[in-house]
Amino acid sequence: MIRALALLLTLLTGFSGLVYEVAWQRILATLLGSQSEATAAILGLFLGGLSIGYSLFGAVTRGLCARAHRARRSPRLLGVYGCVEASIGLWAIAFPSLFRAVQAASVALPHAAGGAGFAVDVLLSALLVLPPAVLMGGTIPVLTQALAHDLSDATRFHALVYAFNTAGAFAGALAAGFWLVPRLGLDGVLLAMGGVNLFAGATFGVLGWRSGAAMPPVGAAATVPPRFVPLAAVALLSGFAMMTVQTVLNRIGALAFGASQFTFSMVVAVFVLCIAAGSFVVSALPRIRPLHVVASQWALVVCLTLLYRVLPDAPYGAHVLRSLFRDTDAAFWPFQGLAFVAILLALALPIALSGALLPLLFHQLRGEVDDLGAVAGRLYSWNTVGSLLGALLGGYALLFFLDLDQVYRIALAALVVGAALLSVRLLSASRLTLGLLVVAPALGGLLLLPRWEPARLAAGLFRYRQPSAETYRGATALYRELNRELRIAFYDDDPVSSVAVKELRDPGLGDIWSIVNNGKSDGSIPNDLPTMVLAAALPAAFAERSERAFVIGYGTGVTVGELASYPETREVVVSEISPGVVAAAPFFDYGNHAASRNPKTHVVRGDAYRTLLRSRERFDVIVSEPSNPWVTGVEMLYSREFLQAALEHLNPGGVYAQWFHVYETDRATVELVMRTYDSVFERVGVWYALGSDLLLLGFADGDHALDLDRLQARIAQPALAASLRRAGIDELPALLAHELLPLGVVRAASFRGDVQTLLHPVLSHRAARAFFRGALADLPPTYSLEAATVGARNSLLRRLAARSGGRLPDSLREQAVKEACRWRSLECATLLAAWLHDAPDASGPRAIAAMAGRQPGFHEDLDPQRLAELAILFGDAPGKAEGAVSYQVAADATNLFVRYYSHAAPFPRAVLAGLWERCQDAPGRCAAGLARAEGWVGPLGSQAAAASAPPAARAP
């Protein structure tokens, strides 16, 4: 009974231990950054602490046993272990406060972002992570010693302890990534897990008190077994190899399923589940022979070699799996479940074999009953040192020089050497014969394994949600079709991501060059040129000056090159986390003013948050162009803390520009980003570049942002004018047509809900679910009375119209309408309808509508009947004498009002109010419809209608 309860508690502590690892890594990323060095340092600290703990508590158990033997009593190891678990729980509960103290100390200490400064912060992080990690190392040695009845029982129970603890870690990996962190936040997770450890500690204390007298006396401590060193070396090599393999598998998972937190959680969970399964198998073996140990390791080498041959086609397999599901919320969890099963089937045998190794080695090393904990502690300490080396070398250092397939083969080589050592020590195999007949051919065979094809790894098939004609004809057929006109000009697996430069020959556009990170395109020339140019030109135009700029993410270098091309600019500091992206920069110099060779450009490789936080410099323009927020680690750049740091580093009159997107997302995610942005910047404007690319502008001092004369003078400067022409914008009205939400509208709309913070990250979770659906998001509603009033006052296009008495001349209106109709069908339709309302017989708007309607996705919005319906919403408020209307007419008009509302050409609310006043239908139905409409758009009474559309600010 006691042992069964102890195993269940071990399951709980394994769960909390993995959750701690996830939470600590994300919390410490706010101190160290999210670059590869920081990730390796955090993992190294955790594994280093575990290794120390295994060794330390192995010695502690041996000492306690020896002391108890001298006192002729039983050692109360379960009571001691209860104190260990309770201490972990107390540390976890105190961790948020301890972290804030360490963070304050880091800021107070005079050190910079890199070099010695980073080392100081690693030491500060060690103060937080090492104590609990050392305590966690007590589980295996203490419980193995405390609950094993005798030597014949020791291997079985030791394997069960390891298996239950690892099975708990499996559940923790899934729970942390899929539910706990987004629901509770990082502080909440630590408090909850601290409670788990306190409960486990208290229960172990009670078990120790009840079982202490029943434990048999023990003998003297044994010495280290003579074969320990070679078998410990095998454990070390295995730890190195499997941690390296896990790193490669995490990256392959990102290339196959997308680099979201869900993918990472599934791969880690499968890994630890299979390790637990291997331990469970060992616990069930009736007899263990040396041959079993040796054979398991050679079988592991064979399995991982076979896996090497199929891993390059993992993106294809994931695509086939994804094609079976539709883009709905209901399909999300079934897809994740089946993806988990697919990963499990692929990895079950090799990872289970690796999970069996430590219990099998323990069986070979057990000597005396009172030395079981010490043997387990030393053995697991060596294995964890190997894992530490795997994290630092295989997961970080080697990737500066080698690609994933080469690193994987190094891991295989380590396993071959380990299997050879086992063969020599346990089977007394001839070293010469083994070397000549097995080891040398095996290592030589690893060199002859084919390289992985970059074109397959970087295909980004996770974005292909629908099956193509070639999907079910095999990987070769699909890749042949996808890569028919494609060339991989550059490929590098660096410690952060897998970076590729693709050249696509398009008959219409010519050569298209794109930068691809982990299978996802993060910019291309010329396709994304308007977005990347406007990301530089817009903030530079609105800023009081643009002498110093800070750009987050190099990408194709277009934004960097544009900023550096302005004579006013003296320096452009670029924070780029990926060495591969920096190495690929020269490929794009042809389209970005040779940004990589510009002396004004200064690239800092590292995490943007840490770089900005440590910088003492201020900037006139800050441009953030990260990847999509569903990508692991990117969500930090959308957090309130990061935006606050950016605001504090802006000069007076400076502008912060944040890229975001409405493709492959949903309205709730867009609203979360805007709400977070608005929680920091009092003055926020939202513009668009390409139709689905947004630019959020935050102003340190926005008094000048509504000054049209100043803006017009700024964009008339030759360099800025040239930038805008590269984006296809020649005149001021065309530029102003890109304004979606005028200054102050986001604040006035009062979006309700949570915000993205570093300690309660929710964005990546929501964004990844929205990415699964892959829909095009609508903008959050901003047609409430207060937002409409602010929009009417601050719309720059309406202010331009006010110069001409409230209505733009046809020549200027045509420029604005044509620009809107290049990119966005909704705004195009509204501006065209306003023009048709003002000039019903004009041919210009109809010609523009006919031309723009040929674009994909524009036809329905620009249908003549739809434009006529929208034009009616611009009419003067009708009176009741003009006749009754049906409920359906008023409801349809309300739906059009909501869908097509534009601050550049707002529908007068009096028109909608008049329709509902004339509504005559079944008793009460019109009143209910009016109430519903006012619930959407706000009050529709005459006073509200007049306030929202002042006569001096009519539609342009």
Side-chain angles (χ1 to χ4, degrees), residues 208-378:
W209 174 73
R210 296 191 60 182
S211 64
M215 291 187 66
V218 292
T223 59
V224 177
R227 66 172 65 173
F228 178 83
V229 173
L231 296 191
V234 172
L236 183 145
L237 289 169
S238 175
F240 166 80
M242 298 316 297
M243 179 57 71
T244 300
V245 167
Q246 183 178 342
T247 297
V248 175
L249 292 177
N250 280 332
R251 184 73 62 82
I252 294 294
L255 292 166
F257 292 97
S260 73
Q261 66 180 45
F262 296 127
T263 300
F264 177 78
S265 296
M266 284 194 297
V267 173
V268 172
V270 165
F271 214 87
V272 295
L273 176 62
C274 294
I275 289 174
S279 298
F280 275 120
V281 170
V282 173
S283 72
L285 292 176
R287 186 175 182 184
I288 300 173
R289 297 180 177 179
L291 180 61
H292 296 155
V293 185
V294 176
S296 71
Q297 289 310 288
W298 284 114
L300 174 60
V301 171
V302 172
C303 288
L304 288 179
T305 302
L306 294 176
L307 185 65
Y308 177 93
R309 303 299 296 265
V310 301
L311 280 177
D313 287 335
Y316 168 74
H319 165 63
V320 172
L321 184 66
R322 179 65 180 86
S323 70
L324 303 177
F325 294 85
R326 298 286 63 86
D327 308 331
T328 63
D329 276 328
F332 177 78
W333 290 115
F335 168 73
Q336 297 295 336
L338 196 53
F340 178 84
V341 171
I343 299 171
L344 180 61
L345 291 175
L347 302 182
L349 184 55
I351 309 306
L353 287 170
S354 75
L357 176 65
L358 290 181
L360 290 174
L361 292 180
F362 173 81
H363 180 78
Q364 302 302 314
L365 293 171
R366 62 194 180 132
E368 299 291 337
V369 69
D370 57 340
D371 199 40
L372 296 176
V375 169
R378 289 194 298 268

Side-chain angles (χ1 to χ4, degrees), residues 713-801:
R714 288 281 290 176
I715 67 171
Q717 295 175 2
L720 263 172
S723 271
L724 293 176
R725 283 195 298 271
R726 276 165 57 83
I729 299 172
D730 293 321
E731 302 291 344
L732 180 63
L735 176 63
L736 300 186
H738 283 259
E739 184 183 50
L740 287 175
L741 303 182
L743 209 64
V745 167
V746 175
R747 175 65 54 89
S750 299
F751 300 140
R752 297 181 181 225
D754 50 2
V755 298
Q756 166 72 7
T757 68
L758 293 176
L759 294 182
H760 199 156
V762 294
L763 178 58
S764 63
H765 183 273
R766 297 179 190 176
R769 296 196 60 172
F771 172 74
F772 175 82
R773 295 190 298 272
L776 191 67
D778 295 328
L779 288 179
T782 58
Y783 36 70
S784 65
L785 176 58
E786 185 178 354
T789 303
V790 173
R793 182 174 65 246
N794 291 346
S795 166
L796 294 178
L797 198 57
R798 288 164 64 83
R799 284 175 171 255
L800 184 63

